[in-house]
Amino acid sequence: MSTHHAERPVLGVSSCLIGQKVRYDGTAKRDRWIVERLGKYVDYRPVCPEMAIGLGTPRPPIRLVGTPAATRVIGVEDASVDVTDALEGFALNTAATLRDVSGYVFMSKSPSCGMERVKLYNASGQAEKKGVGAYARVLMQALPNLPCEEEGRLNDPVLRENFVNRVFAYRRWQALRSTRLTAQVLIDFHARHKYMVMAHSQAAYQRLGRLLSHLKGVDLERVADAYEAEFMAALQRRAGRKRHVNALQHIQGYLKQRIDAGDKHELSDSIEAYRREEVPLVVPMKLLRHYFRRNPDNYIDRQWYLDPYPESLGLRNAI
Ligand code: SF4
C-alpha cells in the first residue's frame, strides 16, 4: 500500500485521564490504553476545566442540577456555588484554541467533562443519568465535527475502532484544509475515501459525491464545509459487518483478472468467514492487501480503507 500516517494527530483529553492529579479528591484516573497504546501514535493536549476556572485541588465536589434543557453545575455541599457560566465560558474560549486538534477524549460521568449519561439531579435530589457535562456540551457544540469519545466507551472494540478511524480521517481532512483548496484536491480526497465511507453508509457516499459534482464557479470553501460535516457524520455511523463485506467484495472485484481460481476461493472464503463472525476484519483485510501487493492497482493502493490508521493498534483484530 502506498498510504502512510505521517501526520501525527493531536487530541484534546481530560487531564486526569493521562495521569494528572487534578480530580476533586486530588487523584488521577490514568487510562492505560489512552496513555500507552493510543499515546504512541498521537499527542495529547490535556485540559482540566475545573482547575482552569480556579477550583483547585482537592476541592468540594460539584454536580449537575436541573433538567436536560436547563442544567446548572452546583456545589454538592454548598448549593450557592454555581460554576455553570465559568465552565461554559471556558469551553467557548478553549474551543477557539482547539481548531487544530483531531479528536477529544473525555472523562466519563464528570459534571464538567462527561459526554453523556452524567447524573442530573432534580429539585428533590433524585438523579437520572440524563446529563451532559457543562464543559463537554459547549465544546462539542462549538466543534460539531470533532471526533469525541469517553474513556469508558473506548473499552468497546467497535466504538474504539470507530473513534480512531475518525481521528485519523479528520487529521487528513485538516491537512487538506491547510493547503490551497481546489476542486482537484476535494475530488482526490473523496476518491481515496470511497470504500471507507461506503463501509459506513452507501447513501452518505452518494450524497458526498453529489456535493462535488458541480464545482465550476462555486464557492469551494462552502462546499468544503458542507463536505466536512457530511463526511464526519458518515464515519460516525457504525460500520456493520454487512457493509464491510460489501466494501471488501467491491475491492475484491479489482482482482478478478489478476489472481487464479485458487486465490479467488481463498479470498472469498475469508470474506465469508468474516461475515459469519468466525474471524475478525483484519483477516480478509490482510489477504486483500497481500494480493494487491503482488498485483498493484493504482486506485486501490490509494484507498485509505485498507490502511486507515497505524496497524499496530490492532483495532481490526477485535471487530
Ligand atoms: S473529569 Fe475533567 S474536570 Fe474532572 S478532574 Fe478530570 S479533567 Fe478535571
Side-chain angles (χ1 to χ4, degrees), residues 13-17 20-24 27-29 46-52 59 62 87 104 106-114 135:
V13 67
S14 296
S15 305
C16 53
L17 285 174
Q20 296 183 6
K21 294 182 176 169
V22 289
R23 298 182 78 213
Y24 72 98
T27 63
K29 194 87 183 176
V47 182
C48 175
E50 291 179 22
M51 290 293 280
R59 56 184 172 269
I62 50 179
L87 284 171
Y104 206 111
F106 289 107
M107 171 73 188
S108 58
K109 298 181 190 151
S110 154
S112 303
C113 291
Y135 167 77

